[in-house]
């Protein structure tokens, strides 16, 4: 079990190239099943969640190879329609394979997915949409058996703009007869990226980025290539690191338009931010001040995934900052750990109230989920003294070599077993 040790208080300076988006590449790896040929995925981050998706594809009979940031998926050899529990429980995104396997084989057997413990994470919207498309689904003892002679296009109104349910319907609809229209679809940039990949396969998909997505089921092209968009949450996390430690860093390979809600908040906190077409420069040398309430919402609202790192950057801001977490019920598990470092945070249900303290001190703390783990790094960089973070496997799910990157920016950081 790895530990990350940080001796805090060093300002960060330098340049970071933001890696490809985890939440794009995982559905695209599932969508590669639709190709019936080889997909080359470029800008693919080296993450344990990508390894988990690779194990699922290999189990299903696909050939997967990696060369640096390029991943090759050959899905011509797909032979199986089941995903065993030990693979499903590794991550939440394993559920996105459901729509893709159904599209390709008309049947799928899997169990309830794992992933970060952020409160109840049901998949009722995924299953009711597939039922509306004609699938028969049995749910027994945590297993899901899904079958359809042929899926049919239809109109699906999602009760909540769920990212995963939108992706699953897009994938299931890719090969079914007729047109599927998703209303109240998720608008996240990762949905748009999935649409771009599906279009490269010749599938007619329109509307991603808006709340209405139309998919016309049809054939596919076979071999294709795709470049994954930059990870907006990784970008937000590095900006939060700079805000916490002070200093000035430049992010390259980033789409500033994807994280406007975060840059506006950090500017309000006192950071100076300059954006180019694919760069963000953040100068965090002024003292930070509290900001107006940070309320997480579906895109383009403030992203729930950026709430923990930005909270960590607000801990030593002057004044009181209120957070309202609207997406996940249990996304304040990092709070208890941040308190060990001297943070003053009160929580009541979905609300967390941060009263800025003069300084944080290092402490032994534990990461309990991916973005919560990132928040501990952010806090530790700005704290006085040594912090040792355990539970690092959570952080490795979504950040490619974060310790190496922070070290290159001047942090006193070490990862060891
Ligand atoms: N929900 C339901 N029923 C469903 C589906 C979702 O009630 O059938 C609820 C969830 O319980 C949750 C809310 O709707 O309260 C939002 O869930 P959503 O389906 O939108 O999220 P997701 O697809 O499970 C993706 C990201 C998350 C990110 C959320 C919100 C991936 C692999 N995961 O999850 O990323 O927080 O969208 O933007 O794309 C992360 O990267 O750390 C992470 C958790």
């Amino acid at each position: 079990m790895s530990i990350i040790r940080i001796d805090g208080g060093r300002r960060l300076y330098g340049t970071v190239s933001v890696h490809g988006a985890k939440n794009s590449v995982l559905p695209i790896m599932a969508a590669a099943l639709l190709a019936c040929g080889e997909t080359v995925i470029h800008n693919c981050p080296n993450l344990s969640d990508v390894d988990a998706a690779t194990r699922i594809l290999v189990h299903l009979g696909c050939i997967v190879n990696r060369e640096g940031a390029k991943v090759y998926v050959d899905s011509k050899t797909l032979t199986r329609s089941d995903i065993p529990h030990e693979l499903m429980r590794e991550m939440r995104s394993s559920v996105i394979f459901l729509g893709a396997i159904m599209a390709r084989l008309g049947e799928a057997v899997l169990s309830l997915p794992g992933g970060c413990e952020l409160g109840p994470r049901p998949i009722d919207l995924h299953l009711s949409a597939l039922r509306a498309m004609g699938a028969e689904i049995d749910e027994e003892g945590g297993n899901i058996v899904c079958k359809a002679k042929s899926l049919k296009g239809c109109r699906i109104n999602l009760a909540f703009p769920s990212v995963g349910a939108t992706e699953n319907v897009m994938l299931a609809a890719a090969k079914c007869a007729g047109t599927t229209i998703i209303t109240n679809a998720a608008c996240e940039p990762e949905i748009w990226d999935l649409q771009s990949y599906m279009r490269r396969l010749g599938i007619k998909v329109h509307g991603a980025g808006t709340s209405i997505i139309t998919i016309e089921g049809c054939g596919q092209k076979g071999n294709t290539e795709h470049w994954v968009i930059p990870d907006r949450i990784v970008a937000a996390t590095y900006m939060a690191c700079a805000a916490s430690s002070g200093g000035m860093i430049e992010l390259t390979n980033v789409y500033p338009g994807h994280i406007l809600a975060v840059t506006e908040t950090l500017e309000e906190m006192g950071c100076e931010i300059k954006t180019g077409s694919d760069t963000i420069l953040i100068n965090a040398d002024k003292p930070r001040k509290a900001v107006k309430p940070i309320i997480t919402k579906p895109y383009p609202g403030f992203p729930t995934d950026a709430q923990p790192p930005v909270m960590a950057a607000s801990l030593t801001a002057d004044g009181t900052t209120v957070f309202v977490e609207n997406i996940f019920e249990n996304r304040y598990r990092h709070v208890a750990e941040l308190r060990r470092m001297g943070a003053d945070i009160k929580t009541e249900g979905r609300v967390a109230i941060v009263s800025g303290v003069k300084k944080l001190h290092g402490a032994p703390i534990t990461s309990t989920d991916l973005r919560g783990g990132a928040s501990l790094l952010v806090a530790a960089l700005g704290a006085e003294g040594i912090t040792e973070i355990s539970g690092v496997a959570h952080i490795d799910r979504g950040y490619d070599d974060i310790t190496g990157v922070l070290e290159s920016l001047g942090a006193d950081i070490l990862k060891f077993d």
Side-chain angles (χ1 to χ4, degrees):
M1 288 229 299
S2 302
I3 303 267
I4 295 178
R5 181 182 179 279
I6 296 177
D7 192 355
R10 298 200 176 199
R11 289 172 182 269
L12 301 182
Y13 292 96
T15 301
V16 182
S17 172
V18 176
H19 62 68
K22 165 180 85 75
N23 292 346
S24 270
V25 79
L26 298 176
I28 287 168
M29 287 176 83
L33 290 178
L34 303 173
C36 288
E38 187 178 81
T39 293
V40 186
I41 304 172
H42 298 264
N43 201 23
C44 181
N46 193 2
L47 304 171
S48 57
D49 269 10
V50 171
D51 296 339
T54 300
R55 283 192 285 278
I56 291 176
L57 286 168
V58 169
H59 168 83
L60 294 172
C62 303
I63 299 164
V64 186
N65 287 304
R66 179 169 198 130
E67 271 173 33
K70 265 192 257 180
V71 167
Y72 301 80
V73 180
D74 188 342
S75 62
K76 281 195 295 293
T77 49
L78 176 75
T79 46
R80 305 180 66 129
S81 58
D82 68 299
I83 306 179
H85 181 61
E86 60 269 25
L87 294 178
M88 285 299 293
R89 72 171 180 214
E90 289 190 42
M91 59 170 184
R92 169 82 180 172
S93 310
S94 50
V95 74
I96 309 303
F97 283 86
L98 176 61
I101 298 173
M102 284 300 290
R104 189 76 193 270
L105 300 176
E107 62 172 31
V109 182
L110 30 85
S111 60
L112 291 172
C116 287
E117 298 291 334
L118 308 174
R121 295 180 77 178
I123 55 165
D124 53 315
L125 301 175
H126 304 234
L127 300 186
S128 62
L130 283 168
R131 283 192 175 107
M133 295 170 83
E136 282 177 22
I137 304 178
D138 282 336
E139 295 171 73
E140 274 174 32
N143 278 328
I144 298 160
V145 181
C146 189
K147 284 188 184 154
K149 281 210 181 72
S150 62
L151 292 173
K152 289 186 191 61
C154 65
R155 199 180 176 96
I156 290 168
N157 182 51
L158 294 176
F160 178 86
S162 155
V163 172
T166 302
E167 291 165 346
N168 241 333
V169 176
M170 287 168 75
L171 296 178
K175 283 179 185 267
C176 73
T179 301
T180 301
I181 300 173
I182 313 172
T183 55
N184 201 26
C187 300
E188 270 68 3
E190 293 77 21
I191 304 281
W192 176 87
D193 206 19
L194 178 61
Q195 169 177 281
S196 310
Y197 170 68
M198 290 173 69
R199 282 187 179 174
R200 287 178 197 275
L201 293 179
I203 299 164
K204 291 183 186 152
V205 198
H206 306 277
T210 75
S211 59
I212 302 179
I213 300 177
T214 307
I215 308 106
E216 286 173 52
C218 60
Q220 79 296 314
K221 272 189 186 147
N223 299 346
T224 190
E225 297 189 64
H226 183 77
W227 282 259
V228 173
I229 58 170
D231 195 310
R232 62 197 166 101
I233 305 303
V234 167
T237 302
Y238 285 123
M239 288 167 71
C241 287
S244 170
S245 66
M248 183 159 77
I249 67 170
E250 185 183 39
L251 303 179
T252 58
N253 187 33
V254 61
Y255 293 163
H258 287 175
I259 46 168
L260 281 180
V262 177
T263 43
E264 281 168 8
T265 299
L266 292 173
E267 276 178 324
E268 196 188 335
M269 236 181 233
C271 301
E272 279 172 24
I273 297 179
K274 288 196 186 120
T275 55
S277 58
D278 60 356
T279 58
I280 298 179
L281 182 71
I282 172 164
N283 181 344
D285 273 339
K286 291 203 184 122
R288 268 155 298 137
K289 49 187 190 297
V291 295
K292 61 178 183 288
I294 295 175
I295 303 171
T296 66
K297 291 182 188 156
Y299 190 83
F302 193 95
T304 173
D305 294 342
Q307 173 261 108
V310 171
M311 177 184 287
S314 76
L315 299 176
T316 49
D318 183 24
T320 301
T321 306
V322 174
F323 290 80
V324 183
E325 171 56 56
N326 281 321
I327 307 298
F328 291 110
E329 268 179 39
N330 188 14
R331 207 165 202 180
Y332 288 136
R333 296 177 79 205
H334 47 287
V335 164
E337 304 303 307
L338 294 172
R339 281 193 193 124
R340 289 178 201 273
M341 303 178 72
D344 181 349
I345 313 169
K346 293 185 183 57
T347 56
E348 177 71 48
R350 292 183 176 272
V351 177
I353 300 169
V354 174
S355 305
V357 292
K358 288 247 161 348
K359 57 187 173 199
L360 299 173
H361 52 79
I365 47 177
T366 306
S367 158
T368 54
D369 62 86
L370 167 57
R371 308 302 172 187
S375 79
L376 307 186
L377 284 171
V378 171
L381 290 166
E384 261 182 21
I386 293 175
T387 299
E388 285 196 346
I389 304 173
S390 54
V392 170
H394 290 289
I395 301 173
D396 292 339
R397 292 186 40 220
Y399 296 90
D400 187 341
D401 189 24
I402 193 164
T403 43
V405 171
L406 291 171
E407 191 180 15
S408 75
L409 296 174
D412 186 340
I413 185 167
L414 182 69
K415 185 176 177 186
F416 58 94
D417 290 321

